[in-house]
Amino acid sequence: LVFQLISTPRSFPSPIGRKVPISLTSPFSPIANPLPLPSPFRHFISISLPPAIPSLSDSPHSSPPTMYMLVDCSNCRTPLQLPPAAQSIRCAICHAVTLIAQPRSAAAAAASPLQQHNSNDRLSNRPSPSPYNHAPPGPPPAAHGSKRAVICGISYRKTKHELKGCINDAKCMKYLLINRFKFPESSIVFLTEEETDPYRIPTKRNMRMALYWLVQGCKPGDSLLFHFSGHGSQQRNYNGDEVDGYDETLCPTDFETQGMIVDDEINATIVKPLPAGVKLHAIVDACHSGTVLDLPFLCRMDRGGKYVWEDHRPRSGAWKGTSGGEVVSFSGCDDNQTSADTSALSKVTSTGAMTYSFIQALERGHGTTYGDMLNSMRTTIRKTRLLFDLQEPQLTANEPFDVYSKPFSL
């Protein structure tokens, strides 16, 4: 009874999970994010993708950027990048084939960004298309720089699944990235239910598009980060690529009607495309989140700090690694555990136990290496007796490494 009063698991009665909020000594003031998420154009939207490799010509007469289309998979609704002139595309997630209507979609793809913008404004009162869809009129926007992040905190307010600490987690993480790790505020997509922009509400579609944006056009030297604070769950896996037989999932605000985001999709969206020289960190504070990025290797560490890397590569031979980039993920607990949303750690307000312990490790100078970070986070949580055996943060990666010699950096 006492535990129920101060700690809420970040999972639902069905296996869904989650955590708690904290108050930093540094003042935090929410700042509007200038990057809106994409307009929900029915089944396709056209976008202009920045080149991953600098153009060979800087001439003002250089060819314009290739126009691509995003097509929702006809089966699982995953956004798919359609090659120019293609009339069909196969989904990498569910393998369904989506046919592209002609010639109307072709005409839409051929239109210039400025023409499409003006046409949309004439035909409807929709908000101006976002930079994710296609270039806005006028000069091109400034580059995002070498650091960008997607931060998502969901409280599921006014539902039976409500959590108290998630939005606070998101605000604290944003403050940390801007002030300690010098992430430009303009390069952070911030999704919570408190946002007034409908494209920044963490719905399934908006979360998908934010993850797609995170890795779009990344290049060697870039540092990317995805932080999620909310409910996590599991569902039966039927393709044989999970050691335990279950897929791990994240729950957007509309998961009860639109479904959850499955680890297979997360891996296909932000892990597999990552090119050499790019580094991605994920910090996932949710129940059942140990392998939520579907990374091939998990650092199994005991309470004495000794560890071995477990091989989680699918028996099917499916590739779950990157295209040469580096991915490291901290998660709130193991796949069979829950993550707490509690006031027991901060003593002031509700926070996610994992997010709180992550920030505390950095604030106390325990973030020298990845091993130091993981040990510090686990020690902080163990000191809270009610959480002692309920959750242990996990570390996964696309390749094994020495956790006590590799410096931690964002």
Side-chain angles (χ1 to χ4, degrees):
L1 178 60
V2 175
F3 173 76
Q4 292 176 342
L5 290 176
I6 68 171
S7 179
T8 304
R10 290 185 170 180
S11 61
F12 305 125
S14 56
I16 303 183
R18 191 326 140 162
K19 49 171 194 90
V20 206
I22 62 176
S23 180
L24 294 179
T25 54
S26 307
F28 173 84
S29 53
I31 310 170
N33 191 325
L35 291 175
L37 286 176
S39 307
F41 288 30
R42 291 176 60 83
H43 294 297
F44 59 85
I45 50 178
S46 62
I47 60 174
S48 178
L49 300 180
I53 302 175
S55 171
L56 296 178
S57 172
D58 292 325
S59 165
H61 301 292
S62 299
S63 300
T66 303
M67 295 303 298
Y68 293 85
M69 294 176 65
L70 282 184
V71 181
D72 282 349
C73 171
S74 57
N75 180 50
C76 68
R77 316 307 297 170
T78 298
L80 307 173
Q81 183 178 313
L82 184 71
Q87 298 185 14
S88 65
I89 187 168
R90 183 183 295 275
C91 178
I93 304 299
C94 68
H95 305 294
V97 175
T98 300
L99 300 178
I100 311 302
Q102 298 289 342
R104 298 178 94 182
S105 60
S112 72
L114 183 55
Q115 288 172 335
Q116 289 186 359
H117 174 78
N118 292 337
S119 174
N120 287 337
D121 285 349
R122 288 196 302 269
L123 295 177
S124 72
N125 292 322
R126 291 174 180 151
S128 298
S130 89
Y132 306 135
N133 298 340
H134 48 68
H144 293 292
S146 61
K147 294 187 175 186
R148 71 176 84 166
V150 169
I151 298 175
C152 181
I154 311 177
S155 67
Y156 311 92
R157 60 187 179 190
K158 299 181 181 179
T159 73
K160 62 182 179 181
H161 310 301
E162 185 166 1
L163 296 167
K164 299 183 182 302
C166 299
I167 293 179
N168 190 42
D169 287 346
K171 290 179 177 179
C172 290
M173 186 59 66
K174 181 178 179 181
Y175 182 91
L176 179 77
L177 293 184
I178 292 174
N179 292 280
R180 184 183 182 97
F181 293 102
K182 307 307 177 185
F183 276 65
E185 186 187 349
S186 60
S187 294
I188 298 176
V189 171
F190 190 72
L191 307 179
T192 73
E193 295 121 308
E194 292 184 350
E195 300 300 303
T196 56
D197 185 336
Y199 304 135
R200 296 182 207 160
I201 303 298
T203 62
K204 184 175 183 178
R205 182 176 180 84
N206 287 348
M207 284 182 61
R208 279 175 160 178
M209 294 307 297
L211 291 175
Y212 184 85
W213 166 86
L214 181 63
V215 300
Q216 200 63 61
C218 58
K219 59 188 182 301
D222 285 356
S223 176
L224 316 178
L225 183 136
F226 170 53
H227 173 249
F228 177 85
S229 177
H231 278 303
S233 187
Q234 291 179 303
Q235 64 185 36
R236 176 67 69 178
N237 169 264
Y238 294 101
N239 61 10
D241 67 353
E242 292 286 346
V243 174
D244 61 359
Y246 287 92
D247 284 317
E248 283 64 51
T249 62
L250 298 181
C251 302
T253 55
D254 54 356
F255 77 94
E256 291 182 296
T257 57
Q258 299 302 312
M260 300 178 286
I261 300 178
V262 183
D263 53 6
D264 293 328
E265 178 181 343
I266 298 172
N267 182 278
T269 303
I270 63 175
V271 175
K272 286 183 182 178
L274 213 65
V278 179
K279 190 168 188 177
L280 167 68
H281 286 89
I283 303 164
V284 183
D285 197 347
C287 292
H288 312 292
S289 56
T291 61
V292 75
L293 262 66
D294 246 4
L295 294 171
F297 299 96
L298 182 144
C299 179
R300 185 65 69 189
M301 182 178 289
D302 64 22
R303 294 187 176 182
K306 297 179 180 178
Y307 72 93
V308 294
W309 284 98
E310 289 183 354
D311 189 342
H312 283 242
R313 286 176 292 186
R315 290 169 293 181
S316 65
W319 178 248
K320 293 294 184 177
T322 68
S323 296
E326 181 181 0
V327 182
V328 179
S329 174
F330 288 98
S331 52
C333 60
D334 210 345
D335 286 344
N336 62 350
Q337 295 179 325
T338 58
S339 292
D341 184 271
T342 179
S343 59
L345 289 168
S346 74
K347 311 297 184 184
V348 177
T349 185
S350 292
T351 67
M354 183 268 190
T355 302
Y356 178 88
S357 63
F358 179 86
I359 294 176
Q360 284 296 299
L362 294 170
E363 293 293 323
R364 294 171 180 171
H366 299 161
T368 307
T369 66
Y370 287 89
D372 294 335
M373 282 290 295
L374 187 60
N375 271 314
S376 177
M377 292 165 63
R378 289 181 164 196
T379 299
T380 298
I381 291 176
R382 287 187 198 127
K383 288 179 179 178
T384 306
R385 295 180 62 85
L386 293 174
L387 305 179
F388 189 86
D389 292 315
L390 294 178
Q391 71 175 103
E392 289 188 318
Q394 302 294 323
L395 176 70
T396 57
N398 67 304
E399 294 287 351
F401 59 89
D402 184 346
V403 300
Y404 290 116
S405 65
K406 187 178 182 65
F408 172 78
S409 63
L410 295 180

